Amino acid sequence: MPIRRRSSRPLPLLPWLSAPRAALSSPLTLIAAAVTALLSCFLGMGAVLHTSAAGGATLDYQADTACPDHYGPVFIKSSAEPEQVEALAEAVTRHAPAHGFGRPSVSLFSHLVHDVDFGTGKTYTVRVAYKDGGTDHLESVRGTDAPGLWMGRDLANAGGLGPGDRAVDPSWPAITGVYADLYNPAPRWWCSVQDLAVQNRLVDHIATGAVLFATDRATFDEVTRHQSRLERLTITFPTPAPRTLAEAEDNQHRAEALIADVREELRARGVGDALMSTPFARSVELAQQAQATVTWSILPLAALSVGVGLLGTATVGLQWYHRRHAQVRLYSARGHGPLAIGMVAVAELGLPIVLGGVAGAVLARAALPLYAPPGRFGVDAELIGTAVAAGVLLATLALLVAVVAVRTHREFALGLTAPRRPRRLWLFLPWELGTAGVALLGWLRLPRYGDSAATDPVPETDPLALLYPVAVVLTVGLVVARLAWWTLRASHRLRWWSRPTVQWAVRRLAHARAPVTGVLVIAVLAVGTLAAGFSIAAAQQQALAVKSGVFVGAHSRVDVENPVGRGEVPLPASLRSNSTIVGVVSDDGTGKVLVVDPGTFGHAAYTDHLPQNELDRMLEESATPESGSLPAIRVGDALSTRDTVLGEVHTVGTVDTAPMLGGQPGHIVSRTALDAEQLDRIPRWTLLSTKSAEQVGAALRQAAIVHMNSVDRDTAFNALPFYVVEWTFSFVALLGVVLGVAAALAMLIAVEVRRRQNALTGALALRMGLRQRSLWSGHLTELGAVALLALAAGLTCGITVAAVSVARFDPARWLPPVSELPDLLSFVLTVVACGAAVVTLACWIAVRSARTARVAELLRD
């Protein structure tokens, strides 16, 4: 057995010092190493930032729907005595700075004061109110901000009152201003006291009165000094909305500490207790749940994507080993160990890998708005993401050393004493059966949170269920790769020399079937994952838009008084072209009847989910009355013919869902088919509009039209479950994009590995008379077949998986219509165009190497 003697001399440093410059001889390898590290570090840091941004986006959503006064601690004392008011306000004001809160905002409301006479002989019931800075958030109609009382415009116009008038009671100050009354929904600044600041004009059995706002605290105390108790004291803090989960949790802890100190002082002073709470705590809890759900959902996907990136690094290491085989043999013969040779690979490719990893982390941070939820992330998330990216970078360098060192050890250190390498049995193992099992298990664990109307604000998803689309795509990719392997192995039987370019392309593919199958697996996984993630995320956006539109009936909905519905009071001019009036009649257990205006219903109500031409036809047919019964559009599984309050109806058409009704059984009747007596039987009239609820309410108030129960699509129901699923699958789509870049890089690396062979055969073929166009067609056939197979399998599998599972990911399946895939034509065309661009680039590299090759040098090498 030959014994290799290692030199005792110090190892020369020339290979390690000259390695970075030697790497320039193969720029594509440098690019491949840098891009592989970039993708791995991008995904490592991007996953951390993505989950943190999900928590921030949840906080933003909750802050938009919550009351701004509830971001901090809230102190409420009902039926408060004057000494209790002063004690509570003093305690809160004194302890607040120690816990990081500023000056509190105090709101005071008196009990109703009856029989108030302002010198006209007519008495009124009023409520006196004060809120710090309140008059700054009221619209002054006339008067000044001098100390006194501000009266609502409605009361002032009804009683002929205004600035300068005063109550008969001499203890009351004069009226110094008139403000525009607050109506529901009031501006958000008033939300914490909206029930008292807005006069109740609708429910007669609840005692109410006009609200007089005191311009200052002294005026309020002067008016209410004869009242032994106040209706309510509210103390809040004008705290900015927290943008990150860390800020929200810190705000929550400080608020709880403040409440504890105030409660302890009140107990010590014996002045009673108050209702002290932190209403935004529920929003913080939801943000924590959303962040945890997204984290555990994308964690397996992030690990898989980073693993693919490390696999790409191993491929780059093998490619470097083959390209530097002669130098590696020389280094080993001179006594350098496998680890030292592995360090040569790091010396040559380390700088591009480090630069690529740093660029990936920076890119993940800079491109966050393009792929992550629209929320801010904390500093801790950025530090954790940086640490993860650094760990991935170190693992990449270590893997490069290990791959080269192990390969060197096998070939040179063991030498002839090495045992015979076993056959690659792992190639024959049925890996697709394992991934199919994971896919089946994920399918069985798909979320069922949409089965009931009482859905959780944050869906509890099983991470294994989120792996279902990726597992299915991976299974299909493995099956396609195995079939391609067997086909290429048997391709030597093909005899198609009448098409020499095709024959050569098949032979080249058969010769490189190992890298071809590898590229196929990655490409199918990339395209399928991208298709599934994009489709499900887009379906969530579409489902939220459609379901909210059907639920509300239009962009906004508001109930109006009966004279408006019967046409006795016209709509304001600003609403006539974008609104429609709908009557609602409910029968006992038999469904509802919607009475619509056929001329305006089609363009004002939400009908985007319905076939427009068919709807117009049915509305036109139902507009003409018939003797004995009313023509109607049947909704859902309602009876074709039945008796209603409006009379007997018969069906002229059917729709599955209708605005306001959803999938509930019912009928749509045209108001032009009803007479005046039938219109009088309709108890409820609703205005549907394409404008927002605020714009509709302002127009109706200006026209003095009574309205109530306004609903807007943006706040119709909780959209957070839709967002959580969308955020999760947006990361799946990002994974598809990254894997797509890895697949394109793998194809270019495969071309680079065979560069010398392709250049030699191509150059010889050109010298023997082969036209350059034929050379192009040969490479296009070879690489295009791989790309076409990957695109066809990936798109078909990804879209099919999304179509099958999109309804099960719907968090509100109780509300029709059922979620379905959006139009994916532009997406498919974009993916195909990107695939064609990659194939064209790879062919150009192969053809260019053949055109610029020096045959003599290639033959000599």
Side-chain angles (χ1 to χ4, degrees):
M1 179 179 62
I3 300 178
R4 296 187 178 181
R5 298 179 58 188
R6 295 187 179 273
S7 174
S8 60
R9 296 175 301 168
L11 298 180
L13 297 179
L14 183 59
W16 290 268
L17 296 178
S18 61
R21 186 168 53 184
L24 299 177
S25 61
S26 181
L28 188 57
T29 303
L30 293 181
I31 295 175
V35 173
T36 302
L38 184 148
L39 296 179
S40 300
C41 294
F42 174 87
L43 288 173
M45 186 167 188
V48 177
L49 297 182
H50 185 95
T51 57
S52 180
T58 304
L59 284 177
D60 290 343
Y61 174 77
Q62 293 296 122
D64 290 339
T65 57
C67 180
D69 285 345
H70 292 170
Y71 297 155
V74 177
F75 302 84
I76 299 177
K77 180 66 176 177
S78 299
S79 189
E81 299 176 0
E83 59 272 15
Q84 293 175 335
V85 170
E86 296 302 326
L88 180 58
E90 180 185 356
V92 172
T93 303
R94 185 172 59 257
H95 287 287
H99 299 283
F101 293 99
R103 183 176 181 82
S105 175
V106 178
S107 303
L108 298 168
F109 287 85
S110 73
H111 285 289
L112 292 177
V113 183
H114 303 281
D115 301 329
V116 179
D117 185 1
F118 290 96
T120 61
K122 187 175 182 181
T123 60
Y124 303 93
T125 299
V126 300
R127 186 192 305 277
V128 182
Y130 170 78
K131 182 173 172 57
D132 289 338
T135 53
D136 296 335
H137 292 81
L138 294 174
E139 180 184 352
S140 177
V141 178
R142 57 184 183 270
T144 65
D145 57 355
L149 297 175
W150 278 23
M151 177 181 290
R153 180 170 51 189
D154 292 347
L155 178 58
N157 293 339
L161 303 173
D165 294 327
R166 61 189 312 148
V168 175
D169 188 343
S171 64
W172 281 49
I175 303 298
T176 61
V178 176
Y179 71 92
D181 293 78
L182 297 175
Y183 288 82
N184 283 325
R188 296 185 69 222
W189 194 83
W190 296 95
C191 61
S192 61
V193 293
Q194 178 171 292
D195 59 329
L196 296 178
V198 178
Q199 180 182 356
N200 178 22
R201 299 171 175 84
L202 302 176
V203 184
D204 296 334
H205 66 275
I206 298 179
T208 184
V211 183
L212 302 180
F213 279 97
T215 57
D216 56 278
R217 177 68 181 275
T219 300
F220 179 86
D221 293 340
E222 180 182 355
V223 174
T224 60
R225 69 177 183 271
H226 297 298
Q227 293 189 3
S228 59
R229 292 178 180 272
L230 299 179
E231 177 73 20
R232 186 188 301 166
L233 161 67
T234 304
I235 302 178
T236 59
F237 288 87
T239 306
R243 304 299 304 276
T244 65
L245 196 54
E247 292 179 7
E249 291 172 346
D250 176 70
N251 192 36
Q252 178 72 15
H253 295 155
R254 291 187 292 107
E256 292 174 352
L258 173 59
I259 289 176
D261 289 349
V262 173
R263 180 175 286 115
E264 181 66 25
E265 178 173 340
L266 294 181
R267 186 180 297 111
R269 296 175 62 177
V271 295
D273 203 353
L275 178 60
M276 308 177 189
S277 62
T278 54
F280 203 67
R282 177 56 177 165
S283 299
V284 177
E285 181 182 352
L286 292 178
Q288 293 171 339
Q289 293 178 6
Q291 180 169 321
T293 298
V294 175
T295 299
W296 288 108
S297 299
I298 71 173
L299 185 61
L301 304 178
L304 175 63
S305 59
V306 172
V308 172
L310 294 177
L311 183 62
T313 300
T315 304
V316 171
L318 292 177
Q319 194 269 343
W320 179 90
Y321 181 85
H322 289 296
R323 186 168 54 86
R324 298 297 191 201
H325 187 268
Q327 290 88 332
V328 170
R329 180 187 296 274
L330 178 61
Y331 299 155
S332 179
R334 297 180 62 181
H336 296 184
L339 184 60
I341 296 176
M343 296 304 297
V344 175
V346 171
E348 184 171 332
L349 302 178
L351 182 60
I353 289 176
V354 172
L355 293 179
V358 173
V362 173
L363 182 61
R365 171 63 182 87
L368 191 66
L370 300 179
Y371 65 88
R376 293 184 58 182
F377 56 89
V379 178
D380 54 343
E382 195 167 16
L383 294 177
I384 294 174
T386 303
V388 170
V392 172
L393 184 59
L394 292 177
T396 300
L397 295 174
L399 182 62
L400 179 63
V401 174
V403 168
V404 175
V406 169
R407 196 62 183 265
T408 304
H409 178 72
R410 281 183 178 181
E411 184 171 355
F412 298 106
L414 296 179
L416 298 177
T417 64
R420 184 178 179 182
R421 294 180 58 185
R423 301 189 64 180
R424 297 180 179 178
L425 297 178
W426 60 272
L427 293 175
F428 300 94
L429 294 178
W431 299 103
E432 52 269 28
L433 294 181
T435 57
V438 174
L440 178 60
L441 190 58
W443 169 261
L444 297 177
R445 294 192 178 187
L446 275 179
R448 306 294 301 178
Y449 48 80
D451 285 342
S452 62
T455 59
D456 295 331
V458 178
E460 295 182 1
T461 56
D462 191 331
L464 191 59
L466 273 298
L467 273 178
Y468 159 71
V470 179
V472 173
V473 173
L474 182 57
T475 302
V476 173
L478 291 175
V479 171
V480 170
R482 190 175 295 276
L483 294 177
W485 177 277
W486 289 342
T487 303
L488 292 177
R489 190 172 185 179
S491 63
H492 64 278
R493 303 177 185 274
L494 178 66
R495 296 293 185 269
W496 205 357
W497 290 109
S498 60
R499 302 285 184 180
T501 55
V502 177
Q503 181 73 29
W504 291 337
V506 172
R507 289 297 175 86
R508 285 195 298 266
L509 288 174
H511 179 70
R513 61 179 181 269
V516 166
T517 52
V519 170
L520 265 179
V521 172
I522 299 177
V524 172
L525 181 61
V527 176
T529 303
L530 175 60
F534 177 84
S535 300
I536 296 178
Q540 292 298 308
Q541 297 177 354
Q542 178 176 279
L544 177 59
V546 173
K547 288 176 182 289
S548 61
V550 172
F551 182 78
V552 176
H555 187 75
S556 62
R557 179 184 72 203
V558 60
D559 292 342
V560 295
E561 52 188 336
N562 289 347
V564 177
R566 292 192 294 265
E568 300 170 4
V569 177
L571 286 177
S574 59
L575 299 179
R576 293 172 189 169
S577 61
N578 49 58
S579 304
T580 185
I581 298 293
V582 176
V584 182
V585 180
S586 298
D587 288 345
D588 295 336
T590 58
K592 294 182 179 180
V593 176
L594 297 185
V595 180
V596 304
D597 180 5
T600 59
F601 181 77
H603 68 265
Y606 184 85
T607 58
D608 294 355
H609 62 293
L610 300 175
Q612 196 63 41
N613 294 334
E614 183 68 13
L615 178 63
D616 293 340
R617 181 195 65 79
M618 291 186 292
L619 289 175
E620 183 178 356
E621 291 184 11
S622 64
T624 305
E626 298 181 8
S627 59
S629 64
L630 296 173
I633 302 174
R634 184 168 61 122
V635 180
D637 56 355
L639 299 176
S640 300
T641 304
R642 71 181 179 93
D643 290 328
T644 67
V645 176
L646 304 178
E648 183 180 355
V649 297
H650 70 274
T651 301
V652 297
T654 303
V655 294
D656 295 331
T657 58
M660 296 179 60
L661 289 181
Q664 303 177 39
H667 290 84
I668 300 176
V669 177
S670 175
R671 66 179 298 155
T672 58
L674 304 178
D675 54 26
E677 181 182 355
Q678 291 171 317
L679 290 176
D680 291 338
R681 300 177 193 168
I682 301 174
R684 173 188 168 195
W685 293 93
T686 299
L687 183 146
L688 303 179
S689 178
T690 58
K691 287 191 172 183
S692 65
E694 290 78 9
Q695 293 173 320
V696 172
L700 294 177
R701 285 193 297 269
Q702 188 175 6
I705 296 176
V706 178
H707 59 282
M708 65 197 83
N709 303 328
S710 61
V711 181
D712 201 292
R713 286 181 63 183
D714 296 335
T715 57
F717 59 92
N718 188 17
L720 188 57
F722 294 90
Y723 291 148
V724 171
V725 179
E726 177 188 344
W727 296 337
T728 300
F729 280 97
S730 65
F731 187 83
V732 176
L734 174 66
L735 172 61
V737 173
V738 174
L739 290 177
V741 176
L745 190 62
M747 179 175 287
L748 297 179
I749 290 176
V751 173
E752 171 64 15
V753 169
R754 297 184 300 159
R755 179 175 59 87
R756 181 180 179 278
Q757 177 186 355
N758 290 337
L760 180 58
T761 57
L764 291 176
L766 289 175
R767 291 199 174 192
M768 288 188 295
L770 184 69
R771 291 177 299 179
Q772 185 175 336
R773 184 175 62 181
S774 300
L775 190 61
W776 264 97
S777 63
H779 286 291
L780 284 175
T781 302
E782 174 190 358
L783 301 177
V786 177
L788 181 61
L789 181 59
L791 289 174
L795 288 174
T796 302
C797 176
I799 295 176
T800 303
V801 168
V804 170
S805 59
V806 66
R808 302 193 69 182
F809 282 112
D810 185 358
R813 269 174 284 174
W814 55 272
L815 179 62
V818 178
S819 297
E820 57 185 14
L821 290 181
D823 185 11
L824 299 175
L825 179 59
S826 59
F827 167 77
V828 172
L829 294 178
T830 302
V831 172
V832 172
C834 292
V838 172
V839 171
T840 303
L841 177 61
C843 292
W844 176 80
I845 293 175
V847 173
R848 182 178 179 275
S849 62
R851 291 178 55 243
T852 59
R854 298 181 180 181
V855 180
E857 294 182 1
L858 292 175
L859 292 175
R860 184 173 62 251
D861 293 339

